[in-house]
Amino acid sequence: MVDRYAVIGNPVAHSKSPWIHAQFARQTGQAIEYGVILAPIGGFSRAVAEFRAAGGLGANITLPFKQEAFRLASRTSERARAAQAANTLVLDGDALFGDNTDGAGLIGDLRRNLGFDLAGKRVLLMGSGGAAQGVVSPLLESRPARLAIANRTAQRALVLAQRFAPAAGGGYAEFAGEQFDLVINATSAGLSEELPAVAKAIFARGALAYDMVYGRDTPFLRLAREAGAAASDGLGMLVEQAAESFLLWRGVRPDTAPVLAALRGA
Ligand code: NAP
């Protein structure tokens, strides 16, 4: 029987993960099958149990189940514990290992695909939900000069920053007088054509604006371009986090560049 993997989420029908993992499998000569599982809200653990019973070896977890996947895991990685969320599960007999590759995906995209070196840079991270939580620790490991976390609900950013000293946290107004070399939008505002409360002046000369949302232009990316900043969506992060999951499952890291190029071309 061929080794089985899947992405579990709700909604999940439009996930690009099956296509991405099919490219990785072809490229590395690995025989795997990668499917899509729509789990009902409240039915996540049952969906995992059924997939395991059907021979599933691993799964990617997407909205809204990443926190639940973390709690369900019998063993977790340090990066999953830092994020309090799992986007990758390894189903190993009765054991369930939870990992989080989102942070490595972002850092990989910044370094590998965008040529951005974080060391010594001033970084503003917008948002304090699951995506933001998953990237704070790897961002700090890259030794920026400053990491500020701004969120609409300021208290969430404060709590997040306290967990990860020396990051600073607060509302958007708190950082309005500063300039940043990298501004990461880890909010879901772009999905509803909304803009977090930042102004053009936030971008330092030569800054990069990064929106984790992909597949659409967002008000944040438009603002950044108007300010003269370079702008990138989160498609590269999606491909890089998938490659990290593939490495965990199969022991081989695929080449992400041709897969990202094909997705961009499509
Ligand atoms: P989440 O847990 O629901 O958090 C949403 C965040 O967005 C919160 O901080 C929320 O602020 C903020 N927000 C929502 N609407 C806003 C608005 N109109 N103005 C300002 N802030 C707003 O979601 P998540 O899991 O962190 O995901 C966030 C985004 O990242 C999603 O769009 C997701 O698709 C994307 N993502 C991409 C990748 C990738 O591989 N590219 C990976 C993970 C996530 P409050 O706390 O004030 O509500």
Side-chain angles (χ1 to χ4, degrees):
M1 195 171 77
V2 67
D3 291 352
R4 295 186 64 194
Y5 299 86
V7 56
I8 306 177
N10 186 336
V12 75
H14 297 295
S15 171
K16 295 187 195 302
S17 292
W19 188 84
I20 293 171
H21 281 280
Q23 304 311 305
F24 289 168
R26 187 173 313 153
Q27 186 196 96
T28 58
Q30 301 271 314
I32 68 162
E33 184 187 293
Y34 189 107
V36 171
I37 297 172
L38 174 69
I41 303 299
F44 175 71
S45 62
R46 189 183 171 139
V48 173
E50 285 173 359
F51 185 50
R52 186 204 293 272
L57 295 179
N60 282 130
I61 311 302
T62 188
L63 285 174
F65 299 124
K66 290 184 188 181
Q67 281 83 5
E68 196 174 342
F70 174 74
R71 291 193 296 271
L72 192 66
S74 52
R75 209 162 55 82
T76 52
S77 66
E78 199 180 321
R79 54 193 186 177
R81 289 193 294 278
Q84 295 284 299
N87 76 334
T88 307
L89 292 177
V90 180
L91 313 176
D92 182 12
D94 283 341
L96 189 62
F97 177 66
D99 196 358
N100 193 314
T101 64
D102 279 341
L106 172 68
I107 303 296
D109 190 32
L110 288 170
R111 284 220 182 99
R112 203 171 283 122
N113 305 319
L114 298 167
F116 190 91
D117 181 8
L118 282 148
K121 299 294 194 327
R122 296 161 293 175
V123 181
L124 176 65
L125 176 65
M126 307 195 299
S128 295
Q133 284 174 44
V135 301
V136 176
S137 181
L139 281 172
L140 284 173
E141 282 164 19
S142 304
R143 314 198 72 78
R146 174 159 170 76
L147 177 61
I149 307 171
N151 194 44
R152 180 175 62 181
T153 310
Q155 183 61 19
R156 291 184 80 190
L158 273 170
V159 170
L160 188 55
Q162 273 160 11
R163 273 182 57 211
F164 294 99
Y172 287 95
E174 187 115 354
F175 307 106
E178 290 185 50
Q179 286 206 311
F180 294 90
D181 306 299
L182 172 64
V183 183
I184 301 167
N185 187 6
T187 79
S188 49
L191 295 177
S192 46
E193 272 298 304
E194 289 176 288
L195 178 67
V198 282
K200 279 185 200 168
I202 203 87
F203 300 101
R205 182 185 286 267
L208 171 65
Y210 192 99
D211 202 322
M212 286 192 191
V213 167
Y214 51 83
R216 62 162 76 211
D217 200 24
T218 63
F220 171 68
L221 293 179
R222 294 198 287 275
L223 179 85
R225 284 195 296 267
E226 281 166 29
S232 175
D233 72 358
L235 193 61
M237 175 177 172
L238 179 77
V239 176
E240 296 293 338
Q241 63 80 26
E244 292 289 322
S245 297
F246 195 89
L247 171 64
L248 186 70
W249 293 329
R250 309 300 300 179
V252 51
R253 196 182 198 286
D255 182 6
T256 49
V259 178
L260 181 57
L263 271 176
R264 289 242 184 259

